[in-house]
């Protein structure tokens, strides 16, 4: 979804709250800049909660699992079940869920809808791989891709524990006037990135990636 209007935001608002009244949470991922601006202007993100917006499908799934975990833990402490709780939403659990640490696996996601001008590549590494940044940049060069912006975010806060990193790259084509990548290019790039990361991790199978 590249764009959205205020009417659609109100419909989404009603849908989310209808689901929440039944004890079902709704997560949003890879929301583009235009859509996010419209949602914030309509105060949709404030009402739903920033916790429920994620950069990738992988992050969204982890977020839902973490919320489910803390919800069940609280109900267990209170000696209740989902039925006893009347399936009501507990938004205060989001902050607790955010603090839950989980182990993550490798994932590569490439999306044209997350940014207006660039193709966005999200790479999640469960464990840091030595010299992997140079290998990733090398793959981009082989595919004639220019990196406009890059950022890395550590996934763990424990310095004594080998934690992973989330890489985000904003890229464009070099030879097509700086346009976004085509679908066929995206698939080839993804295949090569998976191969490089698998090789860096000691020959792990490409099938281990969450697609």
């Amino acid at each position: 979804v590249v764009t959205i209007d205020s009417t659609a935001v109100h419909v989404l608002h009603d849908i989310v709250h209808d689901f929440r009244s039944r004890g079902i949470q709704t997560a949003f991922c890879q929301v583009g800049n235009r859509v996010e601006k419209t949602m914030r202007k309509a105060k949709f993100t404030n009402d739903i909660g920033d916790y429920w917006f994620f950069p990738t499908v992988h992050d969204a799934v982890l977020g839902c699992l973490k919320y489910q975990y803390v919800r069940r833990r609280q109900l267990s402490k209170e000696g209740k079940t989902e039925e006893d709780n009347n399936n009501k939403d507990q938004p205060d659990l989001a902050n607790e869920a955010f603090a839950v640490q989980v182990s993550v696996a490798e994932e590569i996601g490439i999306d044209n809808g997350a940014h207006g001008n660039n193709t966005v590549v999200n790479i999640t590494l469960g464990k840091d791989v030595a010299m992997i940044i140079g290998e990733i940049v090398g793959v981009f060069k082989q595919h004639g891709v220019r990196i406009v912006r890059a950022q890395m975010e550590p996934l763990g806060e424990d310095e004594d524990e080998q934690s992973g990193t989330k890489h985000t790259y904003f890229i464009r084509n070099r030879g097509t006037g700086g346009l976004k990548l085509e679908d066929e290019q995206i698939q080839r790039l993804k295949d090569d990135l998976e191969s490089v990361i698998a090789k860096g991790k000691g020959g792990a199978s490409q099938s281990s990636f969450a697609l």
Side-chain angles (χ1 to χ4, degrees):
V1 178
V2 178
T3 185
I4 191 173
D5 60 20
S6 58
T7 301
V9 172
H10 288 304
V11 172
L12 281 175
H13 180 277
D14 291 341
I15 291 173
V16 170
H17 280 278
D18 179 57
F19 278 140
R20 286 188 171 181
S21 69
R22 309 179 197 183
I24 302 171
Q25 296 297 328
T26 306
F28 297 85
C29 66
Q30 295 180 331
V31 177
N33 286 345
R34 286 187 187 176
V35 176
E36 182 182 6
K37 286 180 181 178
T38 304
M39 286 181 168
R40 290 197 178 278
K41 186 175 181 180
K43 301 189 183 302
F44 179 80
T45 51
N46 289 338
D47 185 42
I48 300 303
D50 286 330
Y51 177 82
W52 295 105
F53 291 82
F54 304 91
T56 68
V57 174
H58 180 78
D59 291 321
V61 172
L62 284 181
C64 290
L65 291 174
K66 286 159 59 173
Y67 184 87
Q68 185 181 54
Y69 168 75
V70 297
R71 180 184 175 92
R72 288 178 175 175
R73 184 174 62 183
Q74 184 184 65
L75 291 175
S76 177
K77 287 180 180 180
E78 297 173 353
K80 297 180 180 180
T81 64
E82 292 286 350
E83 289 73 19
D84 296 332
N85 201 49
N86 295 322
N87 286 330
K88 290 184 179 179
D89 175 44
Q90 300 181 42
D92 57 302
L93 294 181
N95 289 334
E96 187 177 349
F98 182 80
V100 173
Q101 296 293 322
V102 296
S103 59
V104 296
E106 282 63 44
E107 180 190 21
I108 296 176
I110 305 179
D111 182 33
N112 270 334
H115 191 275
N117 300 317
N118 305 312
T119 298
V120 180
V121 179
N122 289 294
I123 302 176
T124 302
L125 300 177
K127 290 186 178 181
D128 288 332
V129 180
M131 308 298 291
I132 195 61
I133 295 178
E135 297 291 339
I136 291 172
V137 171
V139 172
F140 288 148
K141 287 182 178 179
Q142 290 174 7
H143 284 258
V145 168
R146 178 168 64 91
I147 301 174
V148 178
R149 179 159 58 95
Q151 59 192 46
M152 287 78 177
E153 176 185 354
L155 297 177
E157 298 181 355
D158 189 350
E159 295 181 358
D160 297 327
E161 182 179 342
Q162 188 179 11
S163 58
T165 308
K166 181 189 298 179
H167 298 233
T168 303
Y169 299 91
F170 297 81
I171 62 174
R172 298 179 189 172
N173 266 311
R174 286 183 180 275
T176 56
L179 300 178
K180 296 181 180 181
L181 275 63
E182 301 290 338
D183 291 342
E184 185 176 342
Q185 289 178 287
I186 288 175
Q187 188 57 56
R188 291 200 305 267
L189 177 62
K190 187 173 183 178
D191 290 343
D192 287 348
L193 287 171
E194 288 179 356
S195 296
V196 163
I197 293 172
K199 182 179 178 181
K201 291 178 65 64
S205 171
Q206 290 187 30
S207 61
S208 65
F209 284 87
L211 303 179

